[in-house]
Amino acid sequence: MASDLEKRAKEAFIDDHFELAVDLYTQAIALNPQNAELYSDRAQANIKSNNLTEAVSDANKAIELDSSLSKAYLRKGIACINLEEYQTAKAALEIGASLAPEETRFVKLIKDCDEKIAEETGVLPDLSLEKPSTEDVISTKNVEPLSDPSNQLTVAFVKPKYRHEFYQKPDEVVVTIFAKGIPAKDVHIDFGEQILSVSIDVAGEDTYHFQPRLFGKIIPKKCRYEVLSTKVEIRLAKADPLHWTSLEFSKDNSVVPRVSAPVIGEQRPSYPSSKPKRVDWDKLEAEVKKEEKEEKLDGDAALNKFFQDIYKDADEDTRRAMRKSFVESNGTVLSTNWKEVGNKKVEGSAPDGMEMKKWEY
């Protein structure tokens, strides 16, 4: 059964149905939770679906199960690069390169990380290094717009299994997850440059995942956690003495800049400067998104955007129902009721004046 699901997941991935591939890999993992290949392949599908923190978590799990699986390090590196976690990405890629020295993508992606790290630290990179070609950059693709729905929309919001909160000091952020009576062996926590990945996997219960992209960068080696009788306490060491206005990263959050002590005898010119003017890409992206949001659509375009908004804001069961009904009915039925479609195959429904035909393979 797990192998059949894995085969179907690979076919869905090849056909660019990345969300469906993630769903199928999840079902396969439930049947075979110790298979590192399944986690690694789901990481790849999550990268394509732009679920980057989930991809990092899957890659970490694959590495935990099989530390010699080079493609798990590659996928962790690619996901971290897309999250701008260049130090974490480089560390993973270097291990992967040692396991698969014949794989040229490791070398090129490591060079890319070096350049990005140099930009962040203000150290000029070695110009003799060959830049990676654009064909080695992994891009993500969005799910295609869905067709007409046939069922009434019902959206339910799932309450998190455990409540969490945080407070901060000048040099650290303390995150508390209120999980009572959890064995320490069932708690798995990973730290990235700007990622916190928490999994609580208690036998007989649904796994709890908490994987935020953090407001600011942290120092993974200095971070620690403790499992207590009533809670899990996580201490994140700040990389910069910034005041975090929230725990999770958001482009709307305002960052309080770090105040550096002046160096006696050194005065840096403020103007004119030879440094090239930086483009505010976040502001530019926000303006484009605002224009797209305010754009008045009609006909099929308006309908497609409506369905995309439904999918984006829906809970996991609603999304699964939409994907399953759409795929099994060959695009003729779209259901949002998982209880209705979860245990049966969704038959196609032809529009008036037309008839369904089954293709022979």
Side-chain angles (χ1 to χ4, degrees):
M1 184 62 179
S3 60
D4 180 58
L5 287 168
E6 182 180 5
K7 181 180 178 182
R8 289 169 56 195
K10 291 181 184 295
E11 291 173 352
F13 184 89
I14 292 172
D15 292 336
D16 291 348
H17 298 308
F18 303 123
E19 291 283 356
L20 177 59
V22 170
D23 189 45
L24 291 170
Y25 277 126
T26 300
Q27 295 178 48
I29 287 170
L31 297 173
N32 191 2
Q34 300 302 312
N35 189 323
E37 291 277 350
L38 291 177
Y39 283 100
S40 178
D41 290 342
R42 190 172 69 175
Q44 185 181 33
N46 270 320
I47 291 171
K48 289 289 189 177
S49 301
N50 208 29
N51 303 324
L52 299 174
T53 56
E54 289 85 351
V56 174
S57 178
D58 280 342
N60 283 335
K61 184 63 177 179
I63 292 167
E64 177 187 330
L65 293 171
D66 183 0
S67 60
S68 65
L69 190 62
S70 62
K71 65 181 181 181
Y73 294 97
L74 177 64
R75 285 158 189 173
K76 179 177 180 179
I78 291 170
C80 287
I81 287 173
N82 280 279
L83 286 167
E84 300 179 1
E85 302 285 334
Y86 303 116
Q87 294 281 4
T88 305
K90 182 181 177 182
L93 293 168
E94 286 177 339
I95 296 174
S98 68
L99 295 170
E102 73 283 355
E103 175 58 77
T104 59
R105 283 180 293 177
F106 283 116
V107 176
K108 293 180 179 179
L109 289 172
I110 289 171
K111 288 181 180 179
D112 187 42
C113 288
D114 285 335
E115 292 179 357
K116 295 297 184 181
I117 293 169
E119 289 178 11
E120 289 184 345
T121 58
V123 179
L124 292 176
D126 186 352
L127 299 180
S128 65
L129 294 178
E130 178 185 348
K131 281 195 172 184
S133 63
T134 56
E135 66 183 6
D136 293 293
V137 179
I138 305 299
S139 63
T140 60
K141 298 183 68 176
N142 295 323
V143 177
E144 293 293 327
L146 303 177
S147 63
D148 296 352
S150 60
N151 290 319
Q152 185 177 0
L153 174 66
T154 56
V155 178
F157 295 93
V158 180
K159 184 178 180 181
K161 186 175 182 179
Y162 302 119
R163 180 172 63 89
H164 72 271
E165 63 181 34
F166 83 101
Y167 67 90
Q168 63 185 300
K169 300 177 182 179
D171 59 345
E172 73 174 0
V173 174
V174 181
V175 182
T176 303
I177 299 175
F178 295 94
K180 188 176 181 180
I182 302 297
K185 66 180 179 62
D186 295 333
V187 179
H188 307 281
I189 299 180
D190 293 304
F191 303 102
E193 285 180 80
Q194 202 170 344
I195 298 175
L196 171 64
S197 177
V198 181
S199 296
I200 300 178
D201 189 8
V202 179
E205 299 181 12
D206 291 337
T207 303
Y208 167 81
H209 295 289
F210 180 51
Q211 299 164 339
R213 183 178 182 189
L214 300 171
F215 179 88
K217 291 196 173 185
I218 60 176
I219 306 172
K221 291 182 179 179
K222 294 185 178 180
C223 297
R224 62 192 188 279
Y225 70 93
E226 185 177 5
V227 181
L228 304 173
S229 60
T230 59
K231 62 185 179 180
V232 178
E233 189 172 85
I234 306 166
R235 295 183 176 271
L236 306 174
K238 292 181 180 179
D240 299 299
L242 303 175
H243 176 75
W244 291 19
T245 58
S246 68
L247 178 62
E248 299 188 35
F249 172 83
S250 169
K251 291 178 181 177
D252 297 329
N253 289 338
S254 58
V255 178
V256 180
R258 176 176 56 181
V259 178
S260 301
V263 179
I264 298 176
E266 179 182 348
Q267 184 174 358
R268 299 183 66 180
S270 58
Y271 183 86
S273 174
S274 60
K275 186 176 181 179
K277 183 178 179 181
R278 297 181 65 86
V279 178
D280 190 342
W281 293 109
D282 289 343
K283 181 178 179 182
L284 184 61
E285 181 182 2
E287 291 175 354
V288 172
K289 288 185 176 180
K290 182 179 179 182
E291 291 177 2
E292 291 176 349
K293 185 175 181 181
E294 294 176 350
E295 183 182 5
K296 293 184 178 180
L297 304 174
D298 53 16
D300 290 342
L303 191 60
N304 285 335
K305 185 177 186 303
F306 172 69
F307 294 139
Q308 286 178 317
D309 291 340
I310 291 175
Y311 188 87
K312 178 182 65 176
D313 298 328
D315 62 20
E316 186 58 30
D317 280 349
T318 301
R319 290 186 177 187
R320 291 169 64 192
M322 294 173 76
R323 292 196 297 266
K324 185 174 186 295
S325 60
F326 182 73
V327 172
E328 292 184 352
S329 68
N330 294 316
T332 62
V333 175
L334 181 65
S335 172
T336 59
N337 190 338
W338 178 248
K339 291 182 179 179
E340 179 180 303
V341 302
N343 297 321
K344 66 178 183 180
K345 181 176 180 180
V346 180
E347 300 295 336
S349 176
D352 293 340
M354 303 182 71
E355 62 177 335
M356 296 286 295
K357 287 189 176 181
K358 186 175 181 181
W359 290 95
E360 298 295 336
Y361 293 95

